[in-house]
Amino acid sequence: MIGRGPGARATVHSLFMSTSTVIAVTTRREQRLALELPWQIEGRDPLWAPPLRGVQKQLMGFASHPFYNRAKSQCFLAIRGKKPVGRIVAIVNDVHNEFHREQRGFVGFFSCIDDQDVAQSLFDAAAQWLRGRGMTAMRGPANPSINYEWGLLVKGFETPPYFMMTHNPPYYERLWLGAGFAQVQDLFAFWGHRDMLATVSDKHRFVDESIRERFGISLRPMSRKTFRHDVEMFLEIYNDALAGTWGFVPLTRGEINQLAGELKHLIVPELAIVAEQEGRAIGVCFGLLDYNVPIRQC
């Protein structure tokens, strides 16, 4: 994650820089252009997995989503001639600012050609909009928050992204740093193969068995009969367990309901394990299939 102060260098609703114009997206036609832009830019990468259009429309603030019950956003589109060449969404997340007691804005859904002037004009437009709403710093990429797609890929371009992971062209890091952002946090993804389970040491197995016996921990798969309840329970534990981690923002009740409905269709119960103590759920771990594979094929 990277961030900077929101000091914009120009007034932007119609900002001219390097023969490009930045506009605040207000019409359905402009929304469609902004939604379709990644297919023109990131779509050149054979490893890129396109977003689901309906979900992207909601998360960018163009359609109803519970995240925006406590947040507001503005999309900006960079136009050169009659062709879109960049986009960005500025976000004010009231839940984040109340939780962390700060006035921080966010930027996300960034898509841009390899042109520093175009990128700078987008960041400046977002910064000006955020400053007008009392924000004193900004961070990104947030699409639209830490509970969704998050961060900028800086290594690992040779492998395709797994489901819900970000993927972008390598030059994006240069555009962000060139606009005055600085790195604030490393995020890591880890890879493993099920064959590696055979290498788990006897010491780890002993510790596992001892913990279960000493504290009365039992494990069970998620139940198909109570699946919606189990998913909601996972999201409640998620809020409690991650409260002290960097950048954490609690999911609102509306977001929990929305995600529970979505995850119900994505989670395979046999890959979801619930840890219980005296009948009370105290931990959850679930595996998602890599839905990017069929999405990319479609």
Side-chain angles (χ1 to χ4, degrees), residues 162-174:
Y162 286 81
F163 190 60
M164 297 180 71
M165 289 178 59
T166 188
H167 192 82
N168 52 259
Y171 66 82
Y172 275 19
E173 181 183 18
R174 171 167 41 82

Side-chain angles (χ1 to χ4, degrees), residues 1-5 104 137-141 176 180-185:
M1 296 301 298
I2 48 185
R4 76 169 198 186
R104 186 180 303 278
M138 66 183 185
R139 178 182 293 162
W176 283 74
F181 286 85
Q183 176 191 4
V184 295
Q185 185 73 11

Side-chain angles (χ1 to χ4, degrees), residues 99-280:
F99 187 83
H100 291 278
R101 298 181 181 179
E102 59 185 10
Q103 291 297 103
R104 186 180 303 278
F106 293 86
V107 286
F109 302 100
F110 179 78
S111 186
C112 187
I113 62 172
D114 190 1
D115 187 308
Q116 188 65 57
D117 286 341
V118 173
Q120 184 71 57
S121 66
L122 288 167
F123 289 125
D124 285 349
Q128 177 185 309
W129 187 87
L130 291 170
R131 194 196 317 109
R133 282 143 188 85
M135 302 299 104
T136 58
M138 66 183 185
R139 178 182 293 162
N143 306 325
S145 83
I146 196 171
N147 296 315
Y148 301 87
E149 190 179 282
W150 180 253
L152 186 72
L153 184 68
V154 296
K155 291 182 180 179
F157 298 102
E158 67 282 357
T159 57
Y162 286 81
F163 190 60
M164 297 180 71
M165 289 178 59
T166 188
H167 192 82
N168 52 259
Y171 66 82
Y172 275 19
E173 181 183 18
R174 171 167 41 82
L175 295 183
W176 283 74
L177 296 178
F181 286 85
Q183 176 191 4
V184 295
Q185 185 73 11
D186 278 327
L187 308 173
F188 294 95
F190 295 89
W191 178 92
H193 192 277
R194 62 184 181 182
D195 291 345
M196 297 166 63
L197 293 174
T199 66
V200 174
S201 71
D202 291 338
K203 180 179 179 180
H204 288 148
R205 296 184 192 277
F206 173 76
V207 171
D208 171 37
E209 293 171 359
S210 298
I211 290 174
R212 293 201 210 186
E213 181 178 353
R214 179 178 179 183
F215 296 101
I217 307 298
S218 61
L219 302 179
R220 67 166 176 85
M222 278 191 174
S223 169
R224 289 186 181 274
K225 293 182 180 180
T226 60
F227 197 46
R228 174 64 182 249
H229 172 269
D230 277 355
V231 173
E232 291 183 359
M233 170 267 297
F234 156 73
L235 294 171
E236 297 285 0
I237 292 176
Y238 172 92
N239 267 354
D240 290 340
L242 298 183
T245 58
W246 179 87
F248 171 75
V249 180
L251 288 163
T252 65
R253 171 50 55 184
E255 289 179 285
I256 287 176
N257 291 334
Q258 174 92 4
L259 285 169
E262 295 172 353
L263 289 173
K264 181 177 180 180
H265 302 289
L266 299 176
I267 295 176
V268 179
E270 291 78 10
L271 298 179
I273 305 298
V274 180
E276 294 182 328
Q277 185 180 48
E278 297 180 353
R280 182 176 67 91

